[in-house]
Amino acid sequence: MDFAFTPAHERFRAELQEFCRKEVTADLFNEMKEAGEEHHPGFYRKLAERGWIGLQWPREYGGRALDNLHTTIFFEEMEYAFAPVGRYRGSVVFVGQSILAFGNEEQKRYFLPRIARGELTCCWLLSEPNAGSDAAALQLRAGEEGDDYILNGQKIFTSGAHASDYGMVAARTDPGAPTKYAGISLFLVPMNSPGLTIRPLWTIGGWRVNQEFFDSVRVPRTAMLGEKNTGWQNITRYTLNFERAAIAKTGTLLRLSDELTEYLKTARYAAGDRMRHQLAALRAEIIACRWLGYKVAWLYDQGLTPTNESSMIKALTVDLLYRLADLGSDILGYAGLLRGPEAPLEGHVEFLLRSIWFHLVGGGTPDIQRNIIAQRGLGLPRE
Amino acid sequence: MDFAFTPAHERFRAELQEFCRKEVTADLFNEMKEAGEEHHPGFYRKLAERGWIGLQWPREYGGRALDNLHTTIFFEEMEYAFAPVGRYRGSVVFVGQSILAFGNEEQKRYFLPRIARGELTCCWLLSEPNAGSDAAALQLRAGEEGDDYILNGQKIFTSGAHASDYGMVAARTDPGAPTKYAGISLFLVPMNSPGLTIRPLWTIGGWRVNQEFFDSVRVPRTAMLGEKNTGWQNITRYTLNFERAAIAKTGTLLRLSDELTEYLKTARYAAGDRMRHQLAALRAEIIACRWLGYKVAWLYDQGLTPTNESSMIKALTVDLLYRLADLGSDILGYAGLLRGPEAPLEGHVEFLLRSIWFHLVGGGTPDIQRNIIAQRGLGLPRE
Amino acid sequence: MDFTLSQQQKMIRNAVRDFFKKEFPSSRLRQIEAKGLSDFLPVYRQMGDQGFLGIAIPEEHGGSGGTWVDLAIFNEEAGRALVPSVHVSAVTLVGQALLSMGSQAQKAELLPPLTSGQTVITPAYFEEGHEPRTPELRTVAIAQDDRFVLRGEKRFVEAFEVASTLLVAATDETGSARLFLVPRVSPGIRHREWLLQSLDRVADVALDGVAVPREAVLPASNWDAWLDVVDGAKIALAAYAVGAAEAALDMAVAYSKIRVQFDRPIGSFQALQHKLADAAMQVEQARTLLYYAAWLRQERGSCPREAAMVKLLAGNAFRQAAYAATLTHGGYGFMEEQDIQLYFRRAKLVEHQVEGPGVQTEIIIPAAG
Amino acid sequence: MDFTLSQQQKMIRNAVRDFFKKEFPSSRLRQIEAKGLSDFLPVYRQMGDQGFLGIAIPEEHGGSGGTWVDLAIFNEEAGRALVPSVHVSAVTLVGQALLSMGSQAQKAELLPPLTSGQTVITPAYFEEGHEPRTPELRTVAIAQDDRFVLRGEKRFVEAFEVASTLLVAATDETGSARLFLVPRVSPGIRHREWLLQSLDRVADVALDGVAVPREAVLPASNWDAWLDVVDGAKIALAAYAVGAAEAALDMAVAYSKIRVQFDRPIGSFQALQHKLADAAMQVEQARTLLYYAAWLRQERGSCPREAAMVKLLAGNAFRQAAYAATLTHGGYGFMEEQDIQLYFRRAKLVEHQVEGPGVQTEIIIPAAG
């Protein structure tokens, strides 16, 4: 047992903090409003310039060959600073990590360095109108035609489809497979492909997600990521676990609980003292989750696949996000309902309460996480 | 909408309070310890003398022909006084009400007046070692032999089996029925029948329940209660709903929340003020449940079968009992763990935390109640 | 005891429900979210024409008569349709305040246009740093000659955008909290508009030496009487919350019956069933207490503890039902184009409206004296 | 960073687990529940022989050495087996107090028999009406000649029945809180025994002019140093809670796999799965924080906030896991003859032991100064 960070970790954290102090500005947010998602190309470029994209990737693919704890520290500090890392998550974790985990050498050599240089952004297309929690029921069809695959169907709820160069698309390549879990393959599809239409879906969280219509979208055979018909296995073994751990927003939890603690110190009122104790109880859970997040990163560094822990950290942190936003709203009182950067705590509590749904639903609902914990973690029988 | 009690209700309540002030004594509890259940024959006799058994039954069966609100008020006041009404519940509500609901004229004329006079006590035998939540899976067999039925099998978790004259026993009369829900019948069985053995099972709540072994217990055909093979329908339509509404211990909730409020007034300490607010939030729910309990009684008075509401009041009150006991323990601090009548609040909080399981499990677990609310109340589909 | 609505009450409920179904579909709410309350005024006036706004105001004052139970029925339906709560501000707070504290002249002049929906008067009583239910207001009203001059800052004034007049709570020279009718366009009034999570608009209002005539004060006004009005409005708002909670639950139940995942309706999954069963229990609990509190208010008058209890429970029920219902809709739940999100975005607001959740437990079990 | 146990730590864990499996089956616990702690002493002495009691006490003082992480490992296993927490009283509180505040003579005389399990000294520091963590004790120690005379009343003294000596917290003439070693059989000591929900026994102890020699005081004792000892014991107890929680959860998981209702294992029901998943998450959360806090205590010394956090979380985890696990057992859950109830009956106790739940949040975020 050793809970110490290395000096390299500490230096990295300090560097991130310094960077965010300088670079995370109000302008950034104003400019993002147009983009419609938590992403800012200029800011993203700066991250690339610092060498902070692909921290955990081998040097031969443009990475820095650092441990996964660096990535966890990166997210924590970025979230603490409310820095925009939405497309970073999509490009680097959901897609980039997947390419590293089960892509072929050619794909790794093509995509990873470009992602690391900030030249190429990605998004991840799994859900369909009729395949949400039951993602394996997806129906988007990829049929073979000569050396190509032709994609037909729909995807929905995709973050950043409109801001990405490539999409990682889960498609059905063998409709006759014995189970729905067999016969799924993944493809890396240029988002500007002919036949691919993107419709914005606006969320109450302010950011947009998208619905995509694939009308005979043609990709070469080489666009396939991972072995044919093993897509579902790769998704559940790799991508979804990466996703779950990466959306556990410990940094946001730390920041908002710090700010609410400060708020209670300055704005004293009768109910505040009582809420201070509720906040303290949440704080204990937040600190526990912080270390659970480090543990998940460390498990990856050990070459393990922490499926159970990834579901746990996701379920725990989203529950904390919701409870913190709700308590925060009570702490701020009516003022906690005001929108915008001039509202108390720059409107972050209000925004979190409204945007909580990205975290609740993304990477699988709380019910799905609990199913996984019960069945994989505790070994309870399926129905 | 009218939430007023009649003068008769008010008088009745005052009468009950006066009676309890006089009759609920420390001796009562000391003497009950031997009996091993929340029942005291002397006290029970006094209830009968007052005419308080069978309040809601027709006069022709020895009842008082009063509305069900009287019964609800009766339980509330008795529970408020911590008076022993365990065998009352079993005899009058679980069994007596069932006889009234679906017994034949002869059974009504035989049993109800005797119960009302306090001469005859009853218990209700449903669960079996392998049929708990899935009560309809019961296997105790009642085979026909001439004019008799021969009962073989086991029952378990029976309150008051050792203190009852008759047991209402659910038994399988048609093992070949197409579903487990068909082929069940109910019998009124003398608890001193040859072949019937009673083994005590001691609970952490201090009271005993029992396990019963039926070794060729013979009862006449006339012992059957309700139509043959319709037992399950009667149980779910009547008995379980009676049971659920009757074990919603609003009186206990009112009493303990009153006492804890008083305690917080006198024993002031830093954490107390915070807990006062938690107690207040529970208090609001308790008052809501009190009226929900009256509503259930009133629905019965309208000739309705409030299945959904009975499950709700049971699930809500047991959850409140647990949360109140847990909060009460925190309010009292370490002293809340002390056993016995010299402990704070006469040990009632400690006892409730330990005996909560009677209420949690009795009449069906919280999960079972929620299944009923979802499927019957909201009309959601079964799996 | 009787837990049913009377025939007349059922008629009210059906009339209100039909009216909102026709006149207030969700498209109308979206329009108001985009453009503000002025787009609501035509419907609001129709509500006045239908007599809905006059419920629990005596006919002699231009009201429709009826009881607090009737008012609860109306608000339950208003909540079900997520109708903007202008009526709570203008009638249940201001109207009732006029009834209990106003002069004959004030009642005669102001109540009829309030109950007809022709006029909106909105209360301005929240202040920064004000400890709820204490009369220590920082806004002051100084008597000068034949006028009062008001100075201070009020926060979170609802329906400001459509109000002709504000009912401002201020401390007079004797140190008592009094209520003053202040035209919204008075010189010395500045305001700043905020957008809420719900996309409703509220205003912070600065009164910088606003002069009103002596008759602008509600003659019988005092802080206790105002708190009693607040208690009444809490019951109305609790009814709104119960109706909204049930509507959200209904939508979730309906959706969960038709949405198929894993080859079965999602409503057949036990975890979802229990989530919705929990919401149903909370709604039932809140509704039972609601009608008790409304009845008590009608029969006994003041009932601060019950008002606090039901505000707390109904607020919780709405918040939790809206959460469970939105979650039931999965990814669709938080898309703007879906209606369920309208409920979620308003749940927390209703908890804070009129009087926030933090103070209710204080009323239910006050600190030992 | 490293989240694994070292080889040596794994050996400790296995040794302790095997020991308790063999020497402390549930039948032994039931025996102690019936007859009291004297029936536990033989096992306790064996624990001393095995070196378990000396963990985190330096070898020079008769301890086994090792770290706070090792101590956490030991306590996790003790909690798993529900071993009476005499070691927390006698070693983690009193032993550590002697280490940090005792004289060389006291350490030399008392630590070896404490770590060998030959002697039990138990702390007496709770008082009626005492506001936790404040030094205002009502028990006083007045210096008279070569003695201190103690007067006051202590509550909830654990392990009193087997203790030779009490470590009594009392206020001296300068107003400082000090610690005194007081033989249990001293003239002037009266006690009253209580039975707890867990069927453990605790004593209220009255000190009615109990005289002890000058050397009975721990020379470096003061309230802050004592609170630091308390913080350490909270980490140990949190470990106990985590182990107990996991054991209860394990029992529930095992039972739910074999218990069949509705023709399927009850563990296949989603509602039950989610209940147990929630418990598993709480245990994981608490355990992660536990090892962080133990490590921090070892590396940095004092860590009151982390100790408070882990006491709170681990207490919650144990209570909720025990509740869920008992409920999983249905009607069997609360039968005396079943083992799962042993966990439920102790969960609330562990929350209150050493320092109750009410004070932990106060430590995590103190009131603004």
Side-chain angles (χ1 to χ4, degrees):
Chain A
M1 289 280 171
D2 179 7
F3 290 79
F5 293 100
T6 63
H9 290 139
E10 303 281 16
R11 274 196 308 274
F12 181 54
R13 190 188 289 278
E15 203 184 337
L16 290 163
Q17 288 171 348
E18 175 62 28
F19 173 84
C20 287
R21 258 194 299 278
K22 223 179 76 190
E23 302 292 345
V24 182
T25 62
D27 282 351
L28 215 57
F29 288 96
N30 292 332
E31 289 163 29
M32 265 155 35
K33 273 187 192 153
E34 284 169 46
E37 79 152 349
E38 203 213 336
H39 177 62
H40 185 283
F43 185 82
Y44 193 69
R45 224 165 15 244
K46 284 180 188 161
L47 294 178
E49 284 163 12
R50 294 277 179 146
W52 290 343
I53 302 185
L55 292 164
Q56 73 280 43
W57 297 344
R59 291 185 184 281
E60 57 199 294
Y61 304 128
R64 297 271 301 278
L66 298 170
D67 62 23
N68 276 287
L69 272 172
H70 277 83
T71 302
T72 302
I73 292 168
F74 173 81
F75 279 120
E76 189 179 302
E77 293 302 330
M78 289 292 149
E79 289 157 8
Y80 196 91
F82 294 119
V85 287
R87 199 49 22 231
Y88 183 103
R89 265 197 199 85
S91 307
V92 183
V93 182
F94 304 174
V95 178
Q97 284 291 96
S98 295
I99 292 171
L100 185 69
F102 52 86
N104 60 34
E105 191 57 28
E106 224 176 335
Q107 289 163 334
K108 291 183 200 174
R109 292 206 177 274
Y110 181 84
F111 283 98
L112 297 183
R114 284 172 176 75
I115 294 173
R117 290 196 299 267
E119 295 167 11
L120 192 151
T121 55
C122 307
C123 60
W124 159 221
L125 298 87
L126 176 61
S127 296
E128 298 183 3
N130 293 315
S133 282
D134 185 12
L138 61 90
Q139 291 170 334
L140 186 140
R141 178 81 176 89
E144 284 179 82
E145 200 182 288
D147 272 355
D148 295 337
Y149 279 92
I150 313 292
L151 278 60
N152 279 291
Q154 286 182 40
K155 292 288 169 182
I156 198 168
F157 306 134
T158 318
S159 290
H162 60 296
S164 296
D165 302 304
Y166 273 81
M168 182 170 78
V169 181
R172 191 158 298 283
T173 37
D174 181 4
T179 76
K180 65 185 170 188
Y181 304 105
I184 292 171
S185 303
L186 292 165
F187 294 91
L188 291 163
V189 180
M191 291 305 286
N192 62 0
S193 298
L196 173 49
T197 318
I198 299 173
R199 170 172 99 93
L201 279 171
W202 291 96
T203 74
I204 60 169
W207 306 126
R208 67 182 265 195
V209 291
N210 301 277
Q211 184 166 14
E212 298 83 22
F213 301 88
F214 288 75
D215 182 9
S216 297
V217 173
R218 179 178 296 267
V219 292
R221 190 177 289 273
T222 53
M224 186 183 284
L225 180 67
E227 294 297 306
K228 187 176 173 186
N229 294 334
T230 65
W232 186 251
Q233 290 65 37
N234 283 327
I235 290 169
T236 52
R237 181 171 163 80
Y238 297 109
T239 310
L240 286 177
N241 291 327
F242 298 153
E243 182 174 358
R244 284 163 189 157
I247 60 182
K249 300 189 78 171
T250 314
T252 308
L253 290 167
L254 290 166
R255 170 69 175 267
L256 284 182
S257 60
D258 279 352
E259 294 214 359
L260 288 165
T261 302
E262 278 308 304
Y263 181 88
L264 282 172
K265 271 189 203 159
T266 52
R268 295 192 205 172
Y269 53 101
D273 193 60
R274 165 159 38 106
M275 296 189 200
R276 172 170 64 89
H277 291 273
Q278 294 174 267
L279 185 60
L282 289 186
R283 182 75 185 186
E285 289 193 64
I286 290 168
I287 299 299
C289 281
R290 180 186 209 181
W291 286 101
L292 193 51
Y294 292 137
K295 183 173 171 183
V296 169
W298 176 86
L299 287 166
Y300 276 118
D301 283 330
Q302 309 313 302
L304 300 169
T305 305
T307 303
N308 186 39
E309 289 84 354
S310 298
S311 284
M312 280 189 174
I313 189 75
K314 199 271 176 178
L316 285 167
T317 51
V318 73
D319 186 51
L320 281 167
L321 281 169
Y322 177 67
R323 286 189 285 151
L324 186 63
D326 189 64
L327 175 63
S329 175
D330 286 345
I331 287 174
L332 301 176
Y334 204 120
L337 301 165
L338 305 179
R339 287 184 184 229
E342 294 173 58
L345 274 56
E346 299 174 44
H348 286 301
V349 166
E350 188 282 322
F351 176 75
L352 178 60
L353 190 55
R354 186 156 45 90
S355 61
I356 189 73
W357 299 97
F358 279 98
H359 315 297
L360 271 164
V361 175
T365 63
D367 281 355
I368 293 289
Q369 308 311 327
R370 282 171 175 77
N371 288 349
I372 292 167
I373 295 161
Q375 291 166 17
R376 300 250 190 137
L378 300 176
L380 292 173
R382 289 167 175 276
E383 278 172 33
Chain B
M1 288 280 172
D2 179 9
F3 290 81
F5 293 100
T6 63
H9 290 139
E10 302 283 15
R11 276 195 307 275
F12 181 55
R13 189 187 289 278
E15 204 184 335
L16 291 163
Q17 288 171 349
E18 175 61 30
F19 173 84
C20 286
R21 259 194 298 277
K22 224 179 76 192
E23 302 292 347
V24 182
T25 62
D27 282 351
L28 215 56
F29 289 96
N30 292 332
E31 288 163 31
M32 268 159 26
K33 272 186 194 154
E34 285 169 46
E37 79 152 348
E38 202 215 337
H39 177 63
H40 185 283
F43 184 81
Y44 193 69
R45 224 164 17 245
K46 283 180 188 160
L47 293 179
E49 283 163 11
R50 294 277 179 146
W52 290 342
I53 301 184
L55 291 164
Q56 71 279 44
W57 296 345
R59 291 187 184 282
E60 57 200 292
Y61 304 128
R64 296 270 301 278
L66 297 169
D67 61 24
N68 275 287
L69 271 172
H70 277 85
T71 301
T72 302
I73 292 168
F74 173 81
F75 278 120
E76 188 178 302
E77 293 301 331
M78 289 292 150
E79 288 157 8
Y80 196 92
F82 295 120
V85 287
R87 201 48 23 232
Y88 183 102
R89 266 197 199 85
S91 306
V92 182
V93 181
F94 304 174
V95 179
Q97 284 290 97
S98 295
I99 292 171
L100 185 68
F102 53 85
N104 61 33
E105 191 57 28
E106 226 174 335
Q107 289 164 335
K108 291 182 199 175
R109 292 206 177 275
Y110 181 83
F111 283 98
L112 297 182
R114 284 172 175 76
I115 295 174
R117 289 195 300 266
E119 295 167 11
L120 192 152
T121 54
C122 307
C123 59
W124 159 221
L125 299 88
L126 176 62
S127 295
E128 298 184 2
N130 292 316
S133 282
D134 185 11
L138 62 88
Q139 291 170 333
L140 186 140
R141 179 81 175 90
E144 285 180 82
E145 200 182 287
D147 274 350
D148 294 338
Y149 278 93
I150 314 294
L151 279 59
N152 279 291
Q154 288 182 40
K155 292 288 171 185
I156 199 167
F157 306 134
T158 318
S159 290
H162 61 297
S164 295
D165 302 304
Y166 272 81
M168 181 169 80
V169 180
R172 191 158 297 283
T173 38
D174 181 3
T179 76
K180 66 185 170 189
Y181 304 105
I184 293 171
S185 303
L186 293 165
F187 294 90
L188 292 162
V189 180
M191 291 306 287
N192 61 0
S193 299
L196 174 50
T197 318
I198 298 173
R199 169 173 100 90
L201 279 171
W202 291 97
T203 74
I204 60 168
W207 306 127
R208 70 182 262 194
V209 292
N210 301 279
Q211 184 167 13
E212 298 84 23
F213 302 88
F214 288 75
D215 182 10
S216 297
V217 173
R218 178 178 297 265
V219 292
R221 190 177 290 271
T222 55
M224 187 184 286
L225 179 67
E227 294 296 307
K228 186 175 173 187
N229 294 334
T230 65
W232 186 251
Q233 290 66 38
N234 283 326
I235 290 168
T236 51
R237 182 173 163 79
Y238 297 109
T239 310
L240 286 177
N241 291 326
F242 298 153
E243 182 173 358
R244 285 164 189 157
I247 59 183
K249 300 190 77 172
T250 314
T252 308
L253 289 168
L254 289 167
R255 170 68 175 268
L256 284 182
S257 59
D258 279 353
E259 294 214 359
L260 288 165
T261 303
E262 278 308 306
Y263 180 88
L264 281 174
K265 272 190 204 157
T266 52
R268 295 193 206 172
Y269 53 101
D273 193 61
R274 172 160 32 111
M275 296 189 200
R276 171 170 65 88
H277 291 273
Q278 295 174 266
L279 186 61
L282 289 186
R283 182 75 184 186
E285 289 194 64
I286 291 168
I287 298 300
C289 281
R290 180 187 209 182
W291 286 100
L292 193 52
Y294 292 136
K295 184 174 171 183
V296 169
W298 175 86
L299 286 166
Y300 276 118
D301 283 330
Q302 309 313 302
L304 300 169
T305 305
T307 303
N308 185 39
E309 289 83 355
S310 298
S311 284
M312 280 188 174
I313 189 76
K314 199 270 175 179
L316 285 167
T317 51
V318 74
D319 185 51
L320 280 167
L321 281 167
Y322 177 66
R323 286 189 287 153
L324 187 63
D326 189 64
L327 175 63
S329 174
D330 287 344
I331 287 174
L332 300 176
Y334 204 119
L337 301 166
L338 304 179
R339 286 184 183 229
E342 295 174 59
L345 274 55
E346 298 175 44
H348 286 301
V349 165
E350 187 283 320
F351 176 74
L352 177 60
L353 190 55
R354 187 157 44 90
S355 60
I356 190 73
W357 299 98
F358 279 98
H359 314 297
L360 271 164
V361 176
T365 62
D367 281 354
I368 293 289
Q369 308 311 326
R370 281 171 175 77
N371 288 349
I372 293 167
I373 294 160
Q375 291 166 17
R376 298 246 191 142
L378 299 175
L380 292 173
R382 290 166 174 276
E383 277 171 34
Chain C
M1 208 159 283
D2 185 356
F3 288 87
T4 47
L5 300 182
S6 66
Q7 276 313 107
Q8 203 198 344
Q9 286 167 335
K10 282 182 195 156
M11 279 167 54
I12 295 174
R13 188 186 60 190
N14 292 339
V16 177
R17 189 176 292 187
D18 291 347
F19 174 84
F20 286 137
K21 205 172 273 173
K22 187 156 154 277
E23 303 296 340
F24 205 82
S26 65
S27 57
R28 179 75 82 150
L29 178 58
R30 290 169 181 279
Q31 197 182 342
I32 295 165
E33 286 192 350
K35 300 189 184 165
L37 278 177
S38 54
D39 275 50
F40 174 56
L41 287 184
V43 181
Y44 189 67
R45 290 192 193 111
Q46 274 179 276
M47 287 161 64
D49 293 344
Q50 298 284 328
F52 299 158
L53 300 178
I55 298 173
I57 303 282
E59 294 181 39
E60 64 203 88
H61 295 300
S64 327
T67 67
W68 282 87
V69 171
D70 300 332
L71 189 65
I73 293 165
F74 167 73
N75 274 286
E76 222 183 313
E77 295 305 321
R80 178 176 278 279
L82 295 180
V83 177
S85 58
V86 177
H87 62 282
V88 174
S89 299
V91 186
T92 317
L93 285 168
V94 173
Q96 292 289 341
L98 286 167
L99 261 184
S100 69
M101 298 173 247
S103 65
Q104 284 311 320
Q106 287 167 338
K107 289 183 207 176
E109 184 196 337
L110 299 174
L111 281 171
L114 280 180
T115 56
S116 70
Q118 295 302 313
T119 299
V120 172
I121 306 179
T122 196
Y125 59 112
F126 288 134
E127 288 188 2
E128 187 68 27
H130 174 235
E131 198 65 56
R133 290 189 89 87
T134 64
E136 281 84 36
L137 300 169
R138 289 194 212 155
T139 302
V140 292
I142 309 296
Q144 283 182 356
D145 309 323
D146 56 345
R147 303 177 309 168
F148 286 102
V149 177
L150 282 78
R151 282 181 206 285
E153 290 178 5
K154 294 290 171 180
R155 298 212 70 183
F156 317 130
V157 179
E158 298 181 358
F160 181 85
E161 46 183 323
V162 293
S164 62
T165 304
L166 311 179
L167 184 67
V168 178
T171 305
D172 72 7
E173 284 158 313
T174 71
S176 298
R178 310 294 300 276
L179 298 170
F180 298 87
L181 290 157
V182 181
R184 193 191 66 170
V185 293
S186 307
I189 286 193
R190 280 173 301 113
H191 81 279
R192 186 238 149 106
E193 192 175 86
W194 291 95
L195 207 56
L196 299 182
Q197 176 152 84
S198 64
L199 294 172
D200 285 308
R201 288 146 179 82
V202 296
D204 289 346
V205 178
L207 301 120
D208 187 13
V210 178
V212 291
R214 285 271 180 178
E215 309 82 64
V217 70
L218 269 51
S221 61
N222 65 70
W223 193 243
D224 284 345
W226 171 248
L227 288 182
D228 188 51
V229 168
V230 163
D231 289 344
K234 275 154 57 176
I235 297 173
L237 208 58
Y240 187 100
V242 167
E246 188 165 75
L249 179 59
D250 286 351
M251 289 172 71
V253 167
Y255 182 76
S256 74
K257 286 177 184 172
I258 56 163
R259 170 74 173 174
V260 172
Q261 292 283 276
F262 302 98
D263 302 317
R264 45 194 266 209
I266 59 171
S268 69
F269 283 95
Q270 200 184 24
L272 183 52
Q273 289 195 349
H274 287 202
K275 236 190 295 292
L276 297 180
D278 281 333
M281 281 194 273
Q282 291 189 299
V283 171
E284 179 71 17
Q285 219 180 9
R287 196 205 316 276
T288 305
L289 196 59
L290 166 66
Y291 282 97
Y292 172 60
W295 175 85
L296 206 61
R297 175 95 188 167
Q298 185 65 36
E299 297 294 315
R300 313 268 161 94
S302 182
C303 54
R305 291 183 76 204
E306 287 76 10
M309 286 181 182
V310 76
K311 179 70 164 51
L312 188 70
L313 285 199
N316 286 344
F318 183 17
R319 185 182 70 247
Q320 292 181 36
Y323 177 83
T326 307
L327 197 50
T328 299
H329 285 72
Y332 292 101
F334 62 116
M335 298 302 123
E336 274 188 2
E337 61 190 41
Q338 297 283 327
D339 280 354
I340 192 66
Q341 55 87 5
L342 300 169
Y343 290 85
F344 179 76
R345 271 196 294 107
R346 276 161 183 78
K348 201 73 204 167
L349 170 61
V350 174
E351 279 192 87
H352 283 296
Q353 277 183 305
V354 179
E355 191 175 70
V359 71
Q360 305 314 319
T361 49
E362 188 67 65
I363 300 168
I364 297 166
I365 302 182
Chain D
M1 208 160 284
D2 185 355
F3 288 87
T4 47
L5 300 182
S6 68
Q7 275 313 105
Q8 201 198 345
Q9 287 167 335
K10 282 182 196 154
M11 280 167 53
I12 295 174
R13 188 186 62 190
N14 292 339
V16 177
R17 189 176 292 188
D18 290 347
F19 175 84
F20 286 137
K21 205 171 272 172
K22 184 155 157 280
E23 303 298 339
F24 204 81
S26 65
S27 57
R28 178 74 82 148
L29 178 57
R30 292 170 179 281
Q31 197 182 340
I32 295 165
E33 285 192 352
K35 300 190 185 166
L37 278 177
S38 55
D39 274 51
F40 174 57
L41 286 184
V43 181
Y44 188 68
R45 288 190 196 112
Q46 275 180 277
M47 287 161 62
D49 294 343
Q50 298 284 329
F52 300 157
L53 300 178
I55 298 174
I57 303 280
E59 293 180 40
E60 65 202 87
H61 295 298
S64 328
T67 67
W68 283 86
V69 171
D70 299 332
L71 189 64
I73 293 165
F74 167 74
N75 274 286
E76 221 182 314
E77 295 306 320
R80 180 175 277 280
L82 294 179
V83 176
S85 57
V86 177
H87 61 283
V88 175
S89 299
V91 186
T92 316
L93 284 169
V94 173
Q96 292 290 341
L98 285 167
L99 261 185
S100 69
M101 300 173 246
S103 66
Q104 285 308 322
Q106 286 167 338
K107 289 183 209 179
E109 183 196 342
L110 299 175
L111 281 171
L114 280 180
T115 55
S116 71
Q118 295 301 313
T119 299
V120 172
I121 306 180
T122 197
Y125 60 113
F126 288 133
E127 288 189 0
E128 186 69 26
H130 174 235
E131 198 65 54
R133 291 190 90 84
T134 65
E136 282 84 37
L137 300 168
R138 288 193 213 157
T139 302
V140 293
I142 310 295
Q144 283 181 359
D145 309 325
D146 58 344
R147 302 178 311 166
F148 286 101
V149 178
L150 283 78
R151 283 182 204 283
E153 291 178 3
K154 294 289 171 184
R155 298 214 68 184
F156 318 130
V157 179
E158 299 183 357
F160 181 85
E161 47 184 321
V162 293
S164 62
T165 303
L166 311 179
L167 184 67
V168 178
T171 305
D172 72 6
E173 284 157 313
T174 72
S176 298
R178 308 295 300 274
L179 298 171
F180 299 86
L181 290 158
V182 181
R184 194 190 65 169
V185 292
S186 307
I189 285 194
R190 281 174 300 111
H191 81 280
R192 187 236 149 108
E193 191 175 85
W194 291 95
L195 208 55
L196 299 182
Q197 176 154 84
S198 63
L199 293 171
D200 285 308
R201 288 144 178 84
V202 295
D204 289 344
V205 178
L207 300 120
D208 189 13
V210 177
V212 293
R214 285 270 180 177
E215 310 79 63
V217 70
L218 270 52
S221 62
N222 65 69
W223 193 242
D224 284 344
W226 171 247
L227 288 184
D228 187 52
V229 168
V230 163
D231 289 343
K234 276 154 57 176
I235 296 173
L237 208 58
Y240 187 100
V242 167
E246 189 166 76
L249 179 59
D250 287 351
M251 289 173 73
V253 168
Y255 182 76
S256 74
K257 286 176 184 171
I258 56 164
R259 171 73 172 173
V260 172
Q261 292 283 275
F262 302 99
D263 302 317
R264 47 194 263 209
I266 58 171
S268 69
F269 284 96
Q270 200 185 24
L272 183 53
Q273 289 196 349
H274 287 201
K275 237 190 294 292
L276 298 180
D278 281 333
M281 280 193 275
Q282 290 190 302
V283 172
E284 179 70 17
Q285 217 180 11
R287 195 206 317 274
T288 305
L289 195 59
L290 165 66
Y291 281 97
Y292 172 60
W295 175 84
L296 206 61
R297 175 96 189 166
Q298 184 65 35
E299 297 294 315
R300 313 269 161 91
S302 181
C303 54
R305 292 184 75 203
E306 287 76 10
M309 286 182 182
V310 76
K311 179 71 164 49
L312 188 69
L313 285 199
N316 285 345
F318 184 16
R319 184 184 71 246
Q320 292 181 37
Y323 177 84
T326 307
L327 197 50
T328 298
H329 285 72
Y332 292 101
F334 63 115
M335 298 301 123
E336 273 188 2
E337 62 191 40
Q338 297 284 325
D339 280 354
I340 192 66
Q341 55 87 5
L342 300 169
Y343 290 85
F344 179 77
R345 272 196 294 107
R346 276 161 182 80
K348 201 72 204 168
L349 170 61
V350 174
E351 279 192 88
H352 284 294
Q353 276 182 306
V354 179
E355 190 175 69
V359 72
Q360 305 314 320
T361 50
E362 188 68 65
I363 300 169
I364 297 166
I365 303 183

